[in-house]
Amino acid sequence: MDKDVFSLCFMCSVRCPIQVGVKDGHVNWIQGNPHVAGIDGRLCPRGSAGKSLLYDDQRLQSPLIRVGDRGSGNWRKASWEEALDYVGTRLKEIKDTHGGHAIALGERAQLATHVSKTFLKALGSPNYFSHDALCKGSMNTACRSMFGYTDGQMGINYANTKHIVLYGRNIFESINVKEVNTLMDALEKGAKLTYIDPRVNVTASKAHRYWMIRPGTDLALNYGLIHVILKERLYDAGYMDKWAHGLTELRDFIKEYTPEWAENETGIPAGEIKSLAREISKDKPAVIFHYGYRCANHQNEIYMRRSILMLNALMGSVEAKGGIFFKKGPGAEGGKPARKLVEQEFPKITVPRFDKVGTPDFPLPDPAHGVAQILPHAILTEDPYPIKALINFRLDPLMSIADTNNTKKALDKLDLIVTIDINYSDIAWYSDVILPESTYLERTDCIQQMNGLKPMMFLREKAVEPRYDTLEGAIILKRIGERLGIGEFFPYDTMDELVDWQLEGTGFTREDFAKKGFVSYGKSPIFWDRDDIPFKTPSGKIEFTSSLLEDAGFPSLPPYAPVNEPPDRQFRLVVGRTGLHTHVSTQNVPYLNELMKENLLWINNTKAADLGISDGAVVEVSSACGKGRIKAFVTDLIHPEAVFMVHGFGHEAKLAKRSYNQGLSDALLQENLYDKVGGSPAFHDTFVTVTPV
Ligand SMILES: Nc1nc2c(c(=O)[nH]1)N[C@H]1C(S)=C(S)[C@@H](COP(=O)(O)OP(=O)(O)OC[C@H]3O[C@@H](n4cnc5c(=O)[nH]c(N)nc54)[C@H](O)[C@@H]3O)O[C@H]1N2
Ligand SMILES: Nc1nc2c(c(=O)[nH]1)N[C@H]1C(S)=C(S)[C@@H](COP(=O)(O)OP(=O)(O)OC[C@H]3O[C@@H](n4cnc5c(=O)[nH]c(N)nc54)[C@H](O)[C@@H]3O)O[C@H]1N2
Ligand code: SF4
Ligand SMILES: [Mo]
């Protein structure tokens, strides 16, 4: 029998709407959902490889319990009953002996996040954390400090923009299909693209203006731009009169940061900095200084991200067509969002989080996602208290938190490590119990609430039955919960029942999704009146001087600290994505593995010549915390101070045979440094030595 199922891709976390062609219980076609504007049937290479993941037999096939040493890869197959009893019994012992807070759960925020949060809250543990801080924690803090909203509550109106500036936002390789398509359309209509990156990548090749910036100096560039904009009065004066808080302080602060000063720090000619400021101001407010995606580069990240938001504010592009906007929820259309389990009443938790977020020690990061990179430190020091068990749900702390050797040391102290995954990931490999989740094509998931200019809801609907002995994450957590005496917080037996429960009171039912895969609350995009924007800062304005920062004892506008050059024969290690893989997830997917098997180390040709490194040669890369081997890609397309590698390679799990030991893991080399104000890691603050072997 043939059928088409509307669902949501999960080859990465963007979750593009898809249409899955199924014949006799077999997926034979996946394309983008043709009913969704900006998708129109299209997918990225990873989304198109969904079938290859589904029909791969090197993925997890049943629950597994470790029998040898951690990381030795000796497992015995277990039934679900046995594996869940094992996990339930061990967690109960830990809870009874050390308290619920000795249990931490980390995940890549996803559709079942409200289930994971419920699980921990019901256990009395504050120790939920997600990937968010690793990705863009400081951006969240920066947005709250300027506008009173989180970054998640903001969006970018690519469709109507006239000029977009991207700082290392490699939008054409680090993909979100709708964003790519919408931006391409805008470029075809005449929008301009300025791209800034120490490395020439696909996005650079499509830009009208490209600057090979000295790595780590974007903040200096922005200060130079702000200087010109204020001095030459290129800003939106009416908008500033209405909405600026602290513009005088900014004016005083920025005086010394001339474009000539910025040239010296960044390597970008002062004349070019001036010409961008003048050119872009002509298109205001329909301009975007992209505030970034992966905003986890340096220890002063929050100030770099605030400087980008300041540029948007000066252009009046906040809540403007073609600029950036605040997302509107169902309430804006008189509708109701899907219910979440986490809205229930829970026992009150009085202990601090493991990362101390929300205490005077670490006041500003968002406790809704915590700060994942503190976990190894908290486990090793037992400060604020011992953590005994870790559940990893679609998050790999070994590859996604810097300094893998240190993270392993921390994991070795735990009594229990449980991983819910679909692959033999490195963290699954290092766990005591692996609980396999059904892949996205084999499971119905929780409702996706999509706030934006037009609030909508999407549904991931199961396309085919699970091929192996796997379950949905929301069912796995419920069943563990039942064994811990918190079953009443999970009022469903199946995913269909959970979705029905979520939809109660919204006026929509599961059947409403069958026609197009989504439901809409309203028809037209909603922008707020620019004279009446409900900024949620204490001043009700855009805070160039931030009460959030200053009340917590941090300056709003700290003096610029020059960026160190790497010592002789060393380089700043910078990392990023490729269009062909997702983080640490897809390296073993057959189709994608065929397209890209290993990562390479990009190194500048003059530096490589000095070091005697030729293109394709194997080199050793070492840092203060680890070392490994990788092939060199010798090129003039990268700044001499930097070397670059794609994140996500160098896997250690032997049963993922295609990706095992291919390429090098950046996390092995990166030091676990972070922005102590905003909360992001500083993935680009490690220097490495590169030697030929
Ligand atoms: N060293 C280093 N660390 C980084 C980064 C970096 O560049 N370098 N980037 C950071 C960024 S931007 C992000 S967003 C994070 C991402 O960090 P992670 O979330 O850790 O990375 P992912 O590859 O998205 O997915 C992690 C795990 O999810 C599993 N998985 C995939 N699909 C499913 C599923 O359907 N169900 C379940 N249960 N598991 C699934 C994968 O097998 C993998 O083990 O990493 C951050 N950490
Ligand atoms: N194909 C694919 N697409 C993805 C993902 C994926 O895994 N695969 N992941 C998604 C996720 S979770 C995220 S967070 C986004 C990330 O998407 P992006 O924000 O675009 O981040 P990266 O891909 O990490 O690209 C980082 C770029 O920054 C450059 N860079 C390094 N140092 C500097 C510097 O000092 N200044 C400037 N201006 N640039 C610098 C690097 O050379 C690199 O080209 O991609 C999303 N889309
Ligand atoms: S960007 Fe690609 S991999 Fe990610 S959800 Fe969309 S189609 Fe899937
Ligand atoms: Mo990310």
Side-chain angles (χ1 to χ4, degrees):
M1 200 191 85
D2 290 9
K3 63 173 180 175
D4 278 332
V5 181
F6 290 110
S7 190
L8 292 171
C9 181
F10 206 34
M11 293 301 282
C12 87
S13 293
V14 170
R15 299 189 287 266
C16 295
I18 52 174
Q19 183 178 24
V20 187
V22 180
K23 191 175 169 62
D24 300 328
H26 188 95
V27 171
N28 58 9
W29 184 246
I30 307 175
Q31 64 173 27
N33 183 334
H35 304 295
V36 178
I39 296 285
D40 308 309
R42 292 169 288 183
L43 285 183
C44 85
R46 300 161 297 148
S48 309
K51 254 184 83 171
S52 179
L53 168 73
L54 175 64
Y55 294 110
D56 179 17
D57 58 10
Q58 282 182 27
R59 63 181 171 92
L60 296 170
Q61 302 189 4
S62 74
L64 296 169
I65 298 178
R66 176 172 67 83
V67 287
D69 290 340
R70 274 196 185 140
S72 66
N74 293 316
W75 305 99
R76 71 182 163 82
K77 262 191 177 178
S79 67
W80 275 102
E81 283 308 297
E82 188 190 358
L84 294 172
D85 284 347
Y86 182 95
V87 173
T89 308
R90 304 288 297 278
L91 285 178
K92 189 156 183 332
E93 280 164 16
I94 290 167
K95 180 175 186 286
D96 292 346
T97 318
H98 303 279
H101 54 272
I103 301 169
L105 183 151
E107 71 174 6
R108 180 78 193 271
Q110 37 143 342
L111 298 176
T113 286
H114 69 121
V115 183
S116 325
K117 288 189 168 177
T118 298
F119 180 85
L120 273 199
K121 280 181 189 275
L123 282 181
S125 173
N127 291 325
Y128 170 87
F129 63 97
S130 76
H131 78 292
D132 279 273
L134 298 171
C135 176
K136 55 190 175 55
S138 296
M139 187 63 227
N140 177 324
T141 314
C143 280
R144 282 183 285 123
S145 78
M146 294 278 303
F147 307 131
Y149 291 89
T150 67
D151 59 317
Q153 292 168 318
M154 301 188 55
I156 293 180
N157 188 222
Y158 297 97
N160 298 306
T161 199
K162 293 187 183 150
H163 194 146
I164 181 165
V165 181
L166 303 171
Y167 302 79
R169 171 71 188 99
N170 184 9
I171 202 159
F172 295 121
E173 289 182 275
S174 305
I175 301 171
N176 170 322
V177 172
K178 195 169 175 172
E179 284 182 10
V180 170
N181 291 337
T182 318
L183 180 58
M184 288 301 275
D185 289 347
L187 294 178
E188 273 163 28
K189 282 194 300 187
K192 291 188 213 84
L193 169 59
T194 293
Y195 189 66
I196 302 155
D197 195 311
R199 183 177 69 104
V200 181
N201 52 26
V202 173
T203 308
S205 74
K206 295 198 182 300
H208 298 91
R209 176 191 278 108
Y210 165 68
W211 287 338
M212 185 181 276
I213 193 169
R214 193 178 149 236
T217 64
D218 301 68
L219 178 58
L221 167 64
N222 285 349
Y223 284 169
L225 286 166
I226 294 173
H227 180 100
V228 181
I229 290 167
L230 288 177
K231 190 169 166 200
E232 301 188 9
R233 301 193 160 267
L234 300 172
Y235 51 87
D236 184 332
Y239 189 86
M240 280 296 95
D241 283 349
K242 177 121 201 142
W243 294 121
H245 173 84
L247 191 60
T248 313
E249 287 86 342
L250 179 65
R251 233 185 250 287
D252 289 345
F253 169 80
I254 214 74
K255 274 199 186 112
E256 65 183 285
Y257 300 115
T258 61
E260 291 71 23
W261 166 87
E263 171 176 344
N264 198 30
E265 182 71 358
T266 62
I268 301 167
E272 291 204 33
I273 297 174
K274 287 181 202 163
S275 84
L276 173 62
R278 289 168 191 157
E279 183 186 317
I280 201 162
S281 69
K282 291 193 187 120
D283 285 326
K284 66 178 182 292
V287 301
I288 297 160
F289 288 86
H290 198 299
Y291 46 81
Y293 207 149
R294 198 173 64 74
C295 313
N297 300 332
H298 302 287
Q299 288 161 90
N300 65 349
E301 195 69 22
I302 184 170
Y303 293 107
M304 151 58 181
R305 298 299 152 180
R306 273 175 55 83
S307 71
I308 299 182
L309 297 176
M310 286 178 192
L311 284 162
N312 284 295
L314 289 166
M315 291 294 115
S317 71
V318 184
E319 199 62 20
K321 254 192 167 181
I324 65 182
F325 61 85
F326 299 103
K327 292 181 180 169
K328 316 301 179 303
E333 295 284 1
K336 279 212 171 116
R339 290 203 288 172
K340 291 183 171 169
L341 291 175
V342 75
E343 288 151 10
Q344 300 171 88
E345 288 275 321
F346 296 97
K348 197 166 161 44
I349 297 173
T350 48
V351 288
R353 297 175 49 87
F354 74 85
D355 49 23
K356 301 191 190 168
V357 166
T359 75
D361 283 342
F362 209 6
L364 296 187
D366 191 341
H369 60 56
V371 174
Q373 71 272 16
I374 306 274
L375 184 74
H377 180 76
I379 297 173
L380 286 167
T381 59
E382 304 196 346
D383 178 19
Y385 44 71
I387 299 282
K388 293 289 176 185
L390 173 65
I391 303 173
N392 308 287
F393 184 7
R394 208 197 173 296
L395 180 87
D396 185 345
L398 285 175
M399 296 191 88
S400 306
I401 293 178
D403 197 351
T404 304
N405 290 326
N406 185 55
T407 307
K408 274 190 185 161
K409 248 188 251 158
L411 295 184
D412 288 342
K413 274 193 76 170
L414 296 175
D415 291 349
L416 181 68
I417 309 174
V418 178
T419 294
I420 304 173
D421 208 309
I422 55 170
N423 293 311
Y424 285 103
S425 56
D426 283 18
I427 187 61
W429 198 248
Y430 213 74
S431 297
D432 304 323
V433 184
I434 309 181
L435 303 174
E437 183 165 35
S438 309
T439 65
Y440 68 101
L441 294 165
E442 304 167 301
R443 70 177 193 252
T444 295
D445 223 318
C446 301
I447 291 288
Q448 161 137 319
Q449 194 78 47
M450 283 269 285
N451 294 346
L453 291 174
K454 279 193 265 183
M456 299 163 93
M457 280 193 281
F458 286 82
L459 181 62
R460 171 176 293 137
E461 184 144 23
K462 185 203 280 191
V464 290
E465 289 304 316
R467 292 183 58 221
Y468 300 119
D469 190 13
T470 57
L471 288 174
E472 305 89 339
I475 301 291
I476 297 173
L477 287 176
K478 170 199 160 72
R479 294 204 186 153
I480 301 174
E482 283 167 349
R483 286 156 167 88
L484 293 167
I486 53 169
E488 79 268 18
F489 290 97
F490 306 92
Y492 55 89
D493 285 318
T494 63
M495 288 311 295
D496 285 350
E497 282 176 25
L498 176 52
V499 171
D500 289 342
W501 180 90
Q502 286 198 276
L503 288 175
E504 266 171 37
T506 63
F508 297 104
T509 66
R510 247 180 322 129
E511 289 66 44
D512 295 325
F513 293 81
K515 213 163 125 209
K516 292 185 175 172
F518 62 89
V519 296
S520 290
Y521 290 87
K523 287 204 169 61
S524 314
I526 311 165
F527 282 96
W528 284 322
D529 177 353
R530 279 160 59 80
D531 285 331
D532 200 14
I533 306 173
F535 291 110
K536 284 201 195 148
T537 48
S539 61
K541 295 191 175 187
I542 299 176
E543 295 202 348
F544 292 108
T545 51
S546 157
S547 36
L548 185 76
L549 290 177
E550 292 180 9
D551 290 352
F554 301 111
S556 293
L557 298 162
Y560 183 83
V563 171
N564 291 339
E565 268 180 48
D568 191 33
R569 302 175 82 82
Q570 292 190 29
F571 300 86
R572 183 177 293 278
L573 176 65
V574 302
V575 303
R577 343 266 131 222
T578 159
L580 301 173
H581 282 289
T582 298
H583 297 285
V584 306
S585 298
T586 57
Q587 287 71 21
N588 203 53
V589 173
Y591 289 179
L592 297 174
N593 182 271
E594 220 171 277
L595 293 172
M596 182 174 174
K597 270 196 169 27
E598 61 184 340
N599 56 351
L600 301 174
L601 187 78
W602 291 44
I603 181 166
N604 180 272
N605 49 344
T606 49
K607 291 283 180 178
D610 290 348
L611 294 171
I613 293 166
S614 53
D615 189 37
V618 175
V619 293
E620 184 169 276
V621 190
S622 59
S623 72
C625 54
K627 64 179 179 190
R629 290 183 176 195
I630 182 170
K631 285 183 198 146
F633 170 52
V634 175
T635 173
D636 60 352
L637 300 180
I638 185 162
H639 192 283
E641 281 185 23
V643 288
F644 169 87
M645 66 172 75
V646 169
H647 163 61
F649 286 82
H651 285 266
E652 292 186 348
K654 292 192 177 137
L655 287 176
K657 293 179 190 161
R658 299 174 205 97
S659 59
Y660 170 65
N661 208 19
Q662 297 292 317
L664 178 59
S665 166
D666 56 346
L668 196 63
L669 302 165
Q670 290 156 332
E671 295 166 51
N672 190 338
L673 303 167
Y674 58 97
D675 170 357
K676 297 202 164 61
V677 182
S680 288
F683 283 126
H684 292 179
D685 276 354
T686 297
F687 290 141
V688 293
T689 305
V690 183
T691 37
V693 290

